[in-house]
Amino acid sequence: MTESDLSALRERAANGDPTAVDILIELAGERGDMAELRRLAEGGSADAADQLTEVATELGDLDELRRLADSGNIAAAEQLAELTED
């Protein structure tokens, strides 16, 4: 997918197209693009937040998991607890 295609998807998502949001989440998850997932999650997508938690867990990104947990994400809090168990 080209940058132009991604830009078009982002525009569609910004205009409320749920299919475009789903595609962006899938692509970002495949690429491990936490910035894209964070942007979508902050825009209100629970699916993006779930995918962000998954990617952060896979990468062992404790800072991102803490940030998500601090914002009330229970799945991130659980993953953080699991990864930091002694």
Side-chain angles (χ1 to χ4, degrees):
M1 177 161 289
T2 67
E3 189 59 40
S4 176
D5 293 335
L6 282 172
S7 292
L9 274 174
R10 288 180 186 122
E11 185 174 333
R12 286 177 41 206
N15 289 325
D17 182 341
T19 301
V21 172
D22 291 343
I23 293 169
L24 285 172
I25 292 168
E26 182 178 342
L27 292 171
E30 290 171 359
R31 293 189 321 267
D33 186 345
M34 292 183 22
E36 181 91 65
L37 291 169
R38 191 177 305 114
R39 184 183 65 74
L40 293 165
E42 289 171 355
S45 172
D47 290 337
D50 291 344
Q51 186 66 46
L52 180 56
T53 298
E54 185 177 317
V55 171
T57 300
E58 289 171 2
L59 297 175
D61 189 334
L62 300 180
D63 289 336
E64 184 65 24
L65 289 171
R66 265 188 213 94
R67 188 189 73 73
L68 290 164
D70 289 346
S71 70
N73 186 308
I74 294 170
E78 291 170 350
Q79 289 299 321
L80 183 61
E82 187 175 310
L83 289 173
T84 58
E85 283 181 348
D86 289 332

